Amino acid sequence: MEAKTKTVSAILNAPAPHMVGDGFRVHNFFPKGYKIKMSPFFLLDYNARIEFSARNEPRGVGVHPHRGFETVTIAYHGAVAHHDSAGNSGVIYPGDVQWMTAGSGILHKEYHEEQFSKKGGAFQMVQLWVNLPAKDKMTSPRYQDVKHSEMAKYNLENGAGEIEVIAGDYNGTRGSATTFTPLNLFNARLNEGGKAFFNFPAGHNTGFVVIEGRVKINDTEIAKTDQFVHFKNDGSIITAEALENCIILILSGEPINEPIAQYGPFLMNKPEEVQQAINDYNQGKFGYLDE
């Protein structure tokens, strides 16, 4: 039986931006921008490409807590430094990914890397919140550093481009990031005229962010820079053809069919668990981190 095409549900323009701290100008595609089913991905903040002026004091977001999920930050332009209360720190440059599991609770801060801040320049990032199932919400915090130079890559035929596998599997090439539920997270870097094929289970929630360029989806729909392509749960095969050189962030995952109780930086299953998180944070149980 021939596999069915996964139909495009909608091509969504970037919602109006808002600032997170003074360093991230983001368009929230979901859950606030559009009410679309994307579990296990709970939130997508897209910092479309902008120019930041040079500055001695790095812009960013000060110390704040998280519990019950993971943050995944993907750099396309610029550089971001990170510190957390579990003792992890690092800098991500274009092509790099940091995958932080907040789990039972963590404090962290994110800001423009010092040298980038002093020079200024183009800045473009994505941050995802990946939900954790109830059984893993109180897992120990951890940090996965996925450097572009070490990332698993699949070279497409006929010079079409390459698929960078951050997590999951593309044609037998596995990403190094480990996940709590089944999901795929790729960057497709396609050359003009290049074509790529994707195969995800019909029931997995799937979306593409067009980071750069223009792409034709399933030989019919055209999406361009800063748009989000949302797919129906009705098939498995997707084709993407680059109408010009393009970069596409591809996310697909098995939904976590559990209740959600979210308040600010806490993503739990029940309101009382959110209240417990607030109490624990106020009592200093998330550790300590210098401002």
Side-chain angles (χ1 to χ4, degrees), residues 57-84:
E57 186 66 29
R59 301 172 175 89
V61 185
V63 176
H64 58 284
H66 289 304
R67 173 179 281 180
F69 64 100
E70 304 180 285
T71 66
V72 181
T73 308
I74 307 162
Y76 296 97
H77 291 281
V80 172
H82 158 93
H83 286 85
D84 68 39

Side-chain angles (χ1 to χ4, degrees), residues 53-132:
S53 58
R55 185 167 132 169
N56 284 328
E57 186 66 29
R59 301 172 175 89
V61 185
V63 176
H64 58 284
H66 289 304
R67 173 179 281 180
F69 64 100
E70 304 180 285
T71 66
V72 181
T73 308
I74 307 162
Y76 296 97
H77 291 281
V80 172
H82 158 93
H83 286 85
D84 68 39
S85 56
N88 301 302
S89 63
V91 178
I92 55 170
Y93 298 98
D96 297 342
V97 178
Q98 71 170 29
W99 197 300
M100 186 189 80
T101 305
S104 60
I106 203 166
L107 304 177
H108 81 146
K109 57 183 179 179
E110 302 160 286
Y111 45 92
H112 295 187
E113 185 272 332
E114 194 174 358
Q115 293 309 310
F116 169 77
S117 197
K118 286 178 177 173
K119 287 190 289 191
F123 190 85
Q124 188 177 19
M125 301 272 158
V126 167
Q127 185 168 94
L128 296 165
W129 288 13
V130 181
N131 194 14
L132 291 171

Side-chain angles (χ1 to χ4, degrees), residues 79-266:
V80 172
H82 158 93
H83 286 85
D84 68 39
S85 56
N88 301 302
S89 63
V91 178
I92 55 170
Y93 298 98
D96 297 342
V97 178
Q98 71 170 29
W99 197 300
M100 186 189 80
T101 305
S104 60
I106 203 166
L107 304 177
H108 81 146
K109 57 183 179 179
E110 302 160 286
Y111 45 92
H112 295 187
E113 185 272 332
E114 194 174 358
Q115 293 309 310
F116 169 77
S117 197
K118 286 178 177 173
K119 287 190 289 191
F123 190 85
Q124 188 177 19
M125 301 272 158
V126 167
Q127 185 168 94
L128 296 165
W129 288 13
V130 181
N131 194 14
L132 291 171
K135 66 182 179 63
D136 297 313
K137 282 200 177 291
M138 297 299 283
T139 194
S140 297
R142 70 176 185 186
Y143 180 75
Q144 300 180 80
D145 191 16
V146 187
K147 294 292 184 197
H148 186 251
S149 58
E150 300 163 5
M151 197 174 283
K153 299 177 179 76
Y154 181 94
N155 286 314
L156 299 166
E157 293 179 357
N158 305 317
E162 67 178 11
I163 309 297
E164 298 170 352
V165 187
I166 300 164
D169 180 288
Y170 183 84
N171 283 0
T173 297
R174 290 203 62 81
S176 63
T178 59
T179 65
F180 287 83
T181 59
L183 64 86
N184 290 290
L185 188 63
F186 312 147
N187 273 318
R189 296 180 186 267
L190 303 180
N191 299 317
E192 184 175 347
K195 208 166 189 180
F197 298 86
F198 302 92
N199 188 341
F200 302 122
H204 284 205
N205 292 326
T206 303
F208 289 7
V209 185
V210 184
I211 303 294
E212 196 174 289
R214 286 189 311 132
V215 60
K216 184 185 279 189
I217 307 291
N218 296 339
D219 298 321
T220 54
E221 312 269 358
I222 294 174
K224 58 183 191 292
T225 304
D226 301 342
Q227 289 185 322
F228 184 87
V229 184
H230 186 239
F231 293 87
K232 294 180 181 177
N233 299 98
D234 64 349
S236 56
I237 303 296
I238 301 169
T239 62
E241 180 185 356
L243 301 178
E244 57 195 49
N245 291 351
C246 66
I247 302 170
I248 312 159
L249 175 64
I250 291 157
L251 40 156
S252 184
E254 182 178 88
I256 299 172
N257 293 314
E258 296 175 351
I260 285 177
Q262 184 246 339
Y263 176 77
F266 307 121

